[in-house]
């Protein structure tokens, strides 16, 4: 049985030291068996032995304590714990009676973030630092039997874990991959896995491409303070002059700031070589967001490049996802902006100013607008619950161009709706909305000479009701829900002199999401006048078990009973009878297929077709997406047919291969291809990635690259991105 804690040990331990007794931590011992050897002056504990002093705990099968020498010898499955630090393990260890200093044989320890270290011998110092002889470090799991080789490990004749410096130092270090040495250094160091961020070199980026040649980028991170850092990453290329990349990050109490920039001094180049004069070239992306109060915040975004093709030449993203701000621009356009946003329980508001620039070679930035102000305010107006919901809104936008028309609009709107469930399960939702717009449009010619200014206001209104009648049938194999829906809407007409230039509703296409919308325009400029009737039918089968799939089907269309068309021919809403829209989704769990189509109202030909399939079975995962647009069903007038396919196969537990392709079927070209071989386990991620892009962008031809991406968890990585 466990023996009780021995106060005598605490007294003996104190007497054996020069320090006063009240400055010593008491020592407590618990064990299955306790023997006192009076002749040798020893205490011997056997069985499940636990010894504690302060926040240090020692566990072993046997502990021999010599109070005269102030020495503790522990044998057999020794474990040492200190506070919330990971365990230190050994076959045998000799410690002082405070359990703070000693020597261990066959030593191993867990470090923070899954780091592991082991050695033939270890010296533990009073400050908690550990010095290891004939040691190694890894983040890989080790076999309990000691057999097998970790994916990687750092070996060294001597390793010191310095807690004060929060570093791990190696002498005669070599990096082994699957047991084979691949790197040697007389001295080597890296931050302790438990340490906060530290300044130092990061793993390099390695890439081989047909544009830049062999690329080597060596980042260095400078930890300026606990809340800010700067990464300095010079990049050397065999086919171009060096480039310097900087990334600055700072956290504030109210938000954060991130800036990425690059700089080089080089000529322009394409697939045929260099041309022009050497000039400074570069880019900057920046984003910041900060809280003003609990409900209000402000932020900004900056995106700029010295030339249209700079980002593509040097493999930077032209649509920088990591540096998106409040508003995003169209494809191959950059946007800089400043905004304020507010959100409350009953309101939403934002106001912004933005400037758009283009990366399209033939597009003049002077024709793109400076947007200010761009604002919106929506409020849930006070209204009794029994009377429904009443919402109000304000919106303004101003567009000013160096070369082109100027445009200013202000709008105020109010919308009411009251959903009601009628006897028999019918759901009725009547609605009404009204809006007032004020416009000022200045037209100019190609020379920038002002031709005319139109100032006008207009008032519009609409009302209608949506009626749906869901039917539910429950069965042992699943539930079936069928819901026909009818929507009738009538909107006021606009006089010809009250029709605004279409700036904010250029792209409108009929689909399930807007079939029953109050106003199907994506913005304010286009107003859908007259009377229309929308009909749709949805059916859903939910089968939680039994091997049957879950199925969802929808079909519908719209008919304009009165009024002129408001949308273009490619929208599916130009004719009195709109295109038919249909959707179907089948989900087996491991296999999911979805189809959406828009059929011509006259001959039922396919104007748009979207197919997608997701498969996840055994060791295979795959995705396929197919899109087809007819020539007269898109706004550019050119059809499109595209297939996007990706698949991954897990060859073994840690090995997998992947492949993806974006195929332009209309032009019989593979626009993007990527293939990768991947090894990933608990401590390593290694990838060899091949990429090829083939887009008609300026004077740049197809690009090809092979990237090496290696990450050794807790140490860092070599990344081709």
């Amino acid at each position: 049985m466990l023996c009780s804690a021995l106060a005598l040990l605490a007294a003996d331990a104190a007497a054996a030291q020069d320090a006063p007794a009240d400055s010593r931590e008491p020592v407590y011992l618990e064990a299955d068996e306790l023997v006192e050897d009076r002749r040798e002056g020893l205490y011997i504990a056997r069985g499940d032995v636990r010894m504690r002093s302060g926040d240090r705990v020692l566990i072993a099968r046997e502990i021999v304590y010599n109070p005269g020498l102030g020495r503790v010898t522990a044998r057999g499955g020794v474990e040492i714990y200190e506070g919330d630090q990971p365990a230190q393990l050994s076959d045998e260890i000799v410690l002082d009676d405070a359990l703070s200093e000693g020597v261990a044989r066959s030593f191993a320890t867990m470090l923070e973030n899954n780091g592991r270290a082991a050695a033939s011998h270890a010296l533990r110092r009073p400050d908690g630092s550990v010095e290891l002889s004939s040691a190694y470090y890894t983040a890989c799991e080790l076999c309990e039997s000691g057999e097998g080789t970790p994916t990687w490990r750092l070996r060294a004749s001597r390793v010191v874990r310095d807690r004060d410096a929060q570093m791990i130092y190696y002498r005669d270090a070599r990096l082994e991959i699957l047991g084979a040495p691949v790197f040697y250094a007389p001295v080597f160091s890296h931050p302790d896995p438990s340490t906060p961020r530290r300044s130092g070199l990061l793993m390099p980026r390695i890439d081989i491409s047909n544009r830049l040649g062999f690329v080597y980028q060596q980042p260095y991170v400078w930890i300026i303070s606990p809340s800010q850092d700067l990464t300095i990453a010079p990049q050397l290329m065999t086919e171009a002059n060096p480039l310097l990349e900087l990334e600055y990050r700072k956290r504030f109490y109210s938000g954060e700031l991130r800036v990425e920039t690059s700089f080089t001094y080089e000529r322009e180049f394409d697939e045929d070589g260099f041309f022009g004069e050497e000039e400074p070239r570069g880019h900057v992306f920046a984003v910041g967001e900060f809280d003003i109060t609990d409900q209000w915040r402000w932020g900004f975004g900056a995106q700029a490049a010295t030339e249209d093709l700079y980002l593509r030449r040097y493999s930077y993203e032209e649509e920088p996802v990591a540096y998106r701000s409040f508003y995003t621009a169209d494809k191959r356009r950059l946007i800089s902006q400043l905004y304020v946003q507010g959100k409350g329980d009953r309101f939403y508001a934002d106001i912004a100013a933005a400037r758009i620039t283009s990366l399209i070679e033939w597009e003049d930035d002077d024709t793109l607008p400076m947007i200010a102000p761009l604002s919106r305010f929506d409020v849930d107006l006070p209204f009794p619950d029994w009377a429904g919901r009443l919402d109000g809104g304000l919106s303004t936008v101003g567009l000013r161009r160096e070369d082109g028309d100027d445009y200013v609009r202000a709008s105020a709107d109010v919308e009411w709706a009251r959903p009601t469930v009628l006897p028999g399960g019918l759901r009725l939702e009547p609605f009404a909305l009204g809006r007032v717009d004020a416009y000022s449009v200045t037209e100019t010619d190609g020379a920038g000479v002002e031709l005319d200014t139109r100032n006008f206001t207009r008032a519009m209104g609409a009302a209608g009701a949506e009626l749906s009648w869901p039917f539910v049938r429950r069965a042992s194999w699943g539930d079936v829900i069928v819901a026909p829906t009818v929507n009738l809407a009538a909107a006021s007409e606009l006089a010809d002199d009250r029709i605004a230039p279409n700036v904010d509703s250029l792209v409108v296409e009929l689909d399930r999401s807007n079939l029953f919308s109050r106003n199907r325009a994506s913005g304010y400029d286009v107003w859908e006048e007259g009377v229309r009737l929308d009909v749709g039918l949805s059916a859903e089968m939910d089968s939680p078990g039994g091997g049957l799939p879950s199925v969802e089907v929808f079909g519908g269309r719209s008919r304009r009973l009165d009024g002129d068309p408001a949308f273009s021919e490619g929208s599916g809403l130009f004719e009195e009878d709109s295109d038919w829209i249909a959707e179907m989704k089948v989900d087996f769990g491991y296999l999911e297929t979805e189809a959406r189509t828009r059929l011509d109202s006259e001959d039922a030909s396919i104007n748009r077709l979207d197919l997608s399939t997701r498969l996840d079975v055994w060791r295979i995962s795959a995705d396929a997406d197919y899109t087809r647009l007819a020539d007269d069903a898109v706004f550019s007038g050119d059809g499109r047919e595209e297939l996007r396919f990706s698949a991954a196969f897990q060859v073994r537990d840690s090995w997998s291969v992947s492949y993806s392709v974006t195929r332009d079927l209309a032009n019989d070209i593979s626009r993007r291809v990527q293939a990768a071989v991947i090894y990933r386990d608990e401590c390593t991620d290694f990838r060899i990635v091949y990429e090829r892009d083939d887009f008609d962008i300026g004077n740049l031809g197809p690009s090809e690259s092979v990237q090496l991406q290696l990450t050794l968890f807790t140490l860092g990585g070599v990344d081709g991105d």
Side-chain angles (χ1 to χ4, degrees):
M1 301 297 293
L2 286 177
C3 297
S4 60
L6 300 180
L8 176 61
L9 288 179
D12 287 343
Q17 305 295 324
D18 296 332
D22 58 3
S23 68
R24 300 281 299 160
E25 290 279 2
V27 179
Y28 298 94
L29 181 68
E30 296 176 344
D32 290 340
E33 178 185 0
L34 180 63
V35 177
E36 181 180 5
D37 187 339
R38 293 183 180 275
R39 191 175 75 175
E40 298 293 336
L42 304 176
Y43 294 96
I44 304 173
R46 298 187 178 95
D48 294 327
V49 186
R50 181 181 298 267
M51 190 173 187
R52 179 167 60 86
S53 174
D55 61 353
R56 298 185 182 94
V57 177
L58 186 150
I59 299 173
R61 287 194 290 271
E62 179 182 85
I63 292 180
V64 178
Y65 177 53
N66 188 329
L69 298 177
R71 178 179 298 168
V72 177
T73 302
R75 302 183 182 93
V78 181
E79 303 175 23
I80 299 177
Y81 299 89
E82 182 175 356
D84 58 356
Q85 300 297 316
Q88 299 180 26
L89 313 175
S90 177
D91 287 347
E92 179 179 281
I93 189 167
V94 179
L95 295 166
D96 64 354
D97 55 8
L99 310 183
S100 62
E101 184 176 12
V103 179
R105 178 174 60 84
S106 299
F107 174 82
T109 183
M110 283 288 296
L111 305 175
E112 292 77 359
N113 298 324
N114 294 323
R116 298 166 174 86
S120 60
H121 294 85
L123 170 64
R124 177 184 169 87
R125 298 192 177 101
D127 62 359
S129 298
V130 177
E131 181 177 329
L132 309 179
S133 300
S134 300
Y136 68 82
Y137 168 83
T138 184
C140 306
E141 293 183 0
L142 306 176
C143 299
E144 294 183 2
S145 62
E147 299 178 356
T149 302
T151 307
W152 66 267
R153 61 184 168 188
L154 275 172
R155 281 191 176 276
S157 61
R158 181 168 172 262
V159 181
V160 176
R161 185 187 190 190
D162 190 329
R163 286 188 178 274
D164 291 336
Q166 296 180 317
M167 293 290 292
I168 297 180
Y169 300 97
Y170 299 79
R171 184 174 295 278
D172 295 326
R174 63 184 184 273
L175 175 63
E176 294 181 353
I177 303 293
L178 299 176
V182 297
F183 172 80
Y184 171 81
V187 292
F188 179 77
S189 66
H190 65 82
D192 191 312
S194 65
T195 187
R197 301 175 306 135
R198 302 291 300 275
S199 298
L201 294 173
L202 302 178
M203 286 291 190
R205 169 191 170 222
I206 297 174
D207 191 2
I208 302 173
S209 77
N210 64 327
R211 288 179 183 164
L212 303 176
F214 179 81
V215 179
Y216 181 88
Q217 187 176 51
Q218 179 59 69
Y220 176 86
V221 60
W222 173 25
I223 307 302
I224 303 172
S225 72
S227 62
Q228 61 181 326
D229 61 47
L230 175 65
T231 300
I232 306 167
Q235 177 174 303
L236 301 177
M237 298 157 285
T238 57
E239 300 298 327
N241 285 342
L243 175 146
L244 179 63
E245 179 182 308
L246 303 173
E247 184 177 21
Y248 175 76
R249 303 184 301 175
K250 181 173 176 60
R251 285 191 175 274
F252 300 86
Y253 176 78
S254 60
E256 65 174 334
L257 166 69
R258 290 184 291 117
V259 181
E260 176 190 275
T261 185
S262 67
F263 172 83
T264 187
Y265 193 77
E266 182 58 281
R267 295 186 294 165
E268 292 190 68
F269 61 88
D270 57 21
E271 58 182 340
D272 297 323
F274 290 85
F275 59 90
E277 299 293 330
E278 287 190 346
E279 296 178 2
R281 307 179 190 276
H283 87 283
V284 61
F285 296 149
V287 64
E289 188 171 86
F290 307 92
D291 293 332
I292 302 173
T293 66
D294 291 342
Q295 294 184 329
W296 290 88
R297 62 178 180 174
W298 75 276
F300 72 91
Q303 299 175 2
T306 55
E307 61 193 72
D308 294 335
L309 296 178
Y310 174 85
L311 299 174
R312 188 168 289 268
R313 283 194 177 103
Y314 289 95
S315 300
Y316 289 104
E317 291 186 50
E318 292 186 330
E319 301 173 51
V321 176
Y323 286 88
R324 284 179 178 171
S325 190
F326 190 68
Y327 286 101
T328 58
D330 295 335
K331 190 175 182 179
R332 302 210 65 216
R333 290 185 176 92
L334 303 179
I335 182 170
S336 298
Q337 58 193 291
L338 178 67
Y339 68 90
V340 177
Q341 181 190 35
K343 289 189 290 186
D345 293 336
R346 301 177 65 91
F347 82 94
Y348 173 85
D350 64 61
I351 182 169
R355 179 72 170 103
I356 297 175
T357 58
S358 176
L359 300 176
I360 301 172
E361 298 73 34
W362 48 263
E363 190 169 45
D364 186 354
D365 287 346
D366 288 344
T367 64
L368 298 178
M370 171 67 187
I371 309 172
L374 179 59
S375 69
R376 181 174 54 161
F377 176 74
D378 297 319
V379 61
D380 180 6
L381 297 170
F383 212 57
D385 292 340
W386 60 265
R389 181 183 179 91
L390 186 65
D391 299 321
L394 299 172
S395 171
T396 65
V397 63
L399 307 180
R400 294 173 177 82
R401 297 176 175 88
E402 294 292 329
D403 183 5
D405 299 342
D406 293 341
Y407 164 105
V408 178
R409 176 189 54 79
S411 301
D413 62 85
V414 62
E415 181 174 348
W416 167 84
R418 188 187 187 282
T420 304
V421 178
L422 302 175
L426 284 99
R427 183 184 183 277
L428 176 66
E429 184 173 352
F431 65 88
L433 61 91
R435 197 177 82 214
V436 176
D437 299 332
Y439 281 89
S440 177
V441 180
T442 301
E443 299 177 358
T444 60
D445 61 14
V449 177
E450 182 177 321
L451 299 177
D452 185 27
T453 297
R454 283 204 304 148
N455 299 311
F456 64 92
T457 61
R458 62 185 189 178
M460 301 89 75
E466 180 180 310
L467 180 67
S468 60
W469 195 3
F471 297 87
V472 180
R473 178 177 179 178
R474 302 189 181 278
S476 59
W477 46 264
D479 301 332
V480 177
I481 303 174
V482 178
T485 302
V486 177
N487 180 66
L488 180 65
S492 60
E493 296 184 357
L494 285 178
D496 292 343
D497 61 350
R498 294 297 184 265
I499 296 177
N502 186 7
V503 173
D504 61 9
S505 301
L506 294 174
V507 179
V508 175
E509 185 175 0
L510 179 66
D511 60 20
R512 184 179 181 180
S513 67
N514 63 16
L515 175 61
F516 301 112
S517 295
R518 313 287 194 249
N519 181 12
R520 289 186 286 217
S522 55
Y524 289 81
D525 292 338
V526 174
W527 176 256
E528 189 176 11
E529 63 182 21
V531 181
R532 76 175 201 259
L533 178 67
D534 312 316
V535 295
L537 177 67
S538 64
E540 182 177 349
M541 182 180 74
D542 185 11
S543 302
L548 295 175
S550 295
V551 180
E552 184 177 351
V553 179
F554 176 82
R557 73 183 307 186
S558 179
R559 178 175 177 80
R560 189 171 66 253
L561 304 177
D562 179 49
D564 295 326
F567 305 108
S568 67
E569 294 186 24
S571 65
L573 291 166
F574 184 76
E575 304 294 342
E576 288 185 357
D577 290 316
S578 76
D579 287 355
W580 286 96
I581 56 173
E583 296 185 11
M584 182 177 68
K585 182 176 180 181
V586 181
D587 186 1
F588 287 89
Y590 62 89
L591 175 64
E592 180 181 322
T593 300
E594 186 172 358
R596 295 184 300 160
T597 187
R598 181 161 55 85
L599 306 177
D600 191 84
S601 60
E602 295 183 356
D603 58 9
S605 60
I606 296 176
N607 284 331
R608 180 173 186 129
L609 177 63
D610 295 279
L611 300 174
S612 64
T613 299
R614 310 284 182 267
L615 175 67
D616 190 357
V617 60
W618 190 49
R619 298 186 175 197
I620 300 172
S621 61
D623 297 88
D625 297 281
Y626 171 82
T627 298
R628 177 189 168 192
L629 289 172
D631 290 347
D632 56 354
V634 291
F635 305 99
S636 64
D638 297 324
R640 178 163 64 94
E641 189 175 11
E642 183 178 87
L643 173 67
R644 298 175 299 280
F645 173 79
S646 64
F649 175 66
Q650 188 172 356
V651 182
R652 301 183 62 182
D653 290 344
S654 300
W655 286 95
S656 62
V657 293
S658 68
Y659 174 82
S660 65
V661 60
T662 299
R663 183 75 179 172
D664 183 347
L665 299 175
N667 295 291
D668 196 24
I669 297 174
S670 293
R671 295 298 186 185
R672 174 164 291 163
V673 177
Q674 184 182 84
V677 178
I678 305 167
Y679 176 86
R680 183 181 178 89
D681 58 20
E682 77 284 349
C683 62
T684 311
D685 190 305
F686 172 69
R687 301 168 186 239
I688 300 175
V689 181
Y690 166 81
E691 288 186 351
R692 175 182 170 86
D693 286 347
D694 191 354
F695 293 96
D696 298 325
I697 305 296
N699 54 11
L700 293 180
S703 68
E704 287 186 281
S705 68
V706 177
Q707 304 169 7
L708 173 68
Q709 302 174 6
L710 172 64
T711 301
L712 306 179
F713 299 156
T714 75
L715 287 186
V718 177
D719 193 347
D721 288 339

